[in-house]
Every structure is written in structure tokens, then in C-alpha cells.
Amino acid sequence: GAVVSQHPSRVICKSGTSVKIECRSLDFQATTMFWYRQFPKQSLMLMATSNEGSKATYEQGVEKDKFLINHASLTLSTLTVTSAHPEDSSFYICSANPGSGNQPQHFGDGTRLSIL
Amino acid sequence: AQSVTQLDSQVPVFEEAPVELRCNYSSSVSVYLFWYVQYPNQGLQLLLKYLSGSTLVKGINGFEAEFNKSQTSFHLRKPSVHISDTAEYFCAVSKTGNTPLVFGKGTRLSVIA
């Protein structure tokens, strides 16, 4: 079945570091991918919609200069958390749709980001 | 806009007992409905989905859910739970497969031996 791969699975780094997270669709092409954030013991909240070949669409309250999204190919979207601070510590997860509009999205395994 | 309400944040249940996790949604348009399971420190796994057709949907791991349009509900059920079912369960809606999901706050199912 359709597989979405997310890398890295866990990152621990110092405050001020920029961190890049990759989301790949392994056996299908995805013109659209979604990035969600999940704080501890909370639900997943949509951060942005990543569009291949064009600018990402950000949800209200999400800083586009803080969370840089690049969707340069039909199988790869990247999320870069720039100058990360402890409040950016969270679980980041991406999803993509493998085909027509009536198929469910497939999720990556997520990235646990911890900023010290 | 869509919204999802999961009424129970935590549900403890004894092993081999039945369980129902409740989900209600709000939408001005037709939606697709989903249940996902999340094990600790892992991503989301699709349990089942309702797109159209039969209102009783069967999923993996013995779970099923029933779509009730009049009550705008999509409750998840399992007749006999196992210890391995302990996890966080999320109900979600979307307008289509290509639109982002709106999630409920999740229900923590704890199965007690």
C-alpha cells in the first residue's frame, strides 16, 4: 500500500538551531502534502498545506518565516524549523494522499523535536 | 468549517469487555469520516473510514464504526478489547481525500488486565 516516510524520527538540539524534517511519498506522487503539529496529550493541528511547485499555505497563527516549507518534487516536502526554541518542541507529522479524492491520507511516522 | 468532538478524553475498560468511543462532528457539507489509532511515540494508523455507502464500516483489529447522519455521529466500537488496544484514538473528518483532516482531541483507551 501507499507509504509515507518521514525523517528523522527524533531530533534533540540546542536552542537557536534550525532543523529540517523530510516527508517522502515512497510509491506514489503527491502534489499536496500536509504538515501537522501535536503537542503532548493534545490533538493534531494543521500547520500548513505544502503544494508542489508553489508556495505553501499556512494556517492562521503559524509563522511562515519560522516554519519554512519546500515541496520541490512530487515525492518530497520538507519542513524547516528555523532558529528553534524550546516552545517549538513538539511532534511533527506529515501526510499525503496517494490518489483520487476518495482515498484516505497516509501519515508518516512523525518527528519528535526536542529543543534544549 | 468542520469540527469534531470526542466526548471522552479517557476510557478505561477491562480486557475482553466491549468498548465504544464516541465521536460527533459538525459540518455544513458532506464529509469523509475516519478513525485513527496512535500508539506511544508513533504516527497515525488508519483503523477505518466512511466515504459513502453502508453506514456500518468494519476496520482493522476488530473495530467497527457506524455513521449516523441524523445524529452526526461516528462512534467506534469493539466487542472485546485486548491489552494491545491500549492507545490514543482520533476521530477525524475531511471534505475530500485531498483536503486536510480536522481531528478531535482524542480518546485515550486504557485496557486493564
Side-chain angles (χ1 to χ4, degrees):
Chain A
V3 177
V4 174
S5 173
Q6 194 171 334
H7 178 81
S9 58
R10 186 173 182 91
V11 179
I12 302 173
C13 59
K14 294 180 180 180
S15 185
T17 305
S18 291
V19 178
K20 180 185 284 189
I21 303 169
E22 294 186 347
C23 181
R24 293 181 184 272
S25 55
L26 296 186
D27 52 359
F28 64 96
Q29 294 182 332
T31 55
T32 303
M33 293 184 178
F34 303 103
W35 287 97
Y36 298 84
R37 180 169 54 186
Q38 183 182 30
F39 289 109
K41 300 187 186 302
Q42 294 188 29
S43 188
L44 288 84
M45 299 298 292
L46 179 69
M47 295 177 67
T49 301
S50 175
N51 304 300
E52 188 270 334
S54 64
K55 292 182 179 180
T57 305
Y58 290 83
E59 295 300 296
Q60 190 172 10
V62 178
E63 300 175 55
K64 61 180 181 180
D65 295 328
K66 173 78 171 177
F67 299 98
L68 300 179
I69 291 174
N70 185 285
H71 195 151
S73 78
L74 287 170
T75 59
L76 174 64
S77 174
T78 60
L79 169 67
T80 301
V81 184
T82 61
S83 186
H85 292 285
E87 58 267 27
D88 298 322
S89 298
S90 187
F91 189 65
Y92 294 86
I93 190 166
C94 68
S95 73
N97 184 285
S100 63
N102 62 352
Q103 291 195 40
Q105 294 175 28
H106 290 260
F107 285 82
D109 285 337
T111 298
R112 174 74 60 191
L113 176 60
S114 300
I115 308 299
L116 305 177
Chain B
Q2 299 91 43
S3 67
V4 177
T5 302
Q6 290 183 246
L7 295 168
D8 307 301
S9 59
Q10 296 186 58
V11 173
V13 63
F14 286 105
E15 191 174 18
E16 297 184 4
V19 70
E20 179 179 80
L21 306 183
R22 296 180 292 171
C23 172
N24 289 87
Y25 69 94
S26 166
S27 177
S28 58
V29 299
S30 297
V31 294
Y32 298 157
L33 295 154
F34 308 87
W35 275 100
Y36 287 87
V37 60
Q38 184 180 35
Y39 298 101
N41 296 311
Q42 293 187 28
L44 299 178
Q45 181 181 10
L46 180 68
L47 279 178
L48 49 78
K49 61 184 184 290
Y50 173 78
L51 305 179
S52 64
S54 173
T55 57
L56 183 61
V57 180
K58 293 190 183 298
I60 63 171
N61 301 342
F63 284 94
E64 64 179 31
E66 186 158 18
F67 170 60
N68 188 316
K69 188 174 181 179
S70 63
Q71 296 186 7
T72 60
S73 67
F74 191 55
H75 301 332
L76 181 71
R77 297 191 291 258
K78 185 169 182 177
S80 175
V81 295
H82 303 289
I83 295 290
S84 59
D85 292 324
T86 295
E88 191 83 20
Y89 291 79
F90 292 97
C91 182
V93 302
S94 70
K95 285 192 290 186
T96 71
N98 282 324
T99 55
L101 293 168
V102 175
F103 288 88
K105 292 187 175 181
T107 297
R108 174 74 180 171
L109 174 63
S110 298
V111 181
I112 306 162

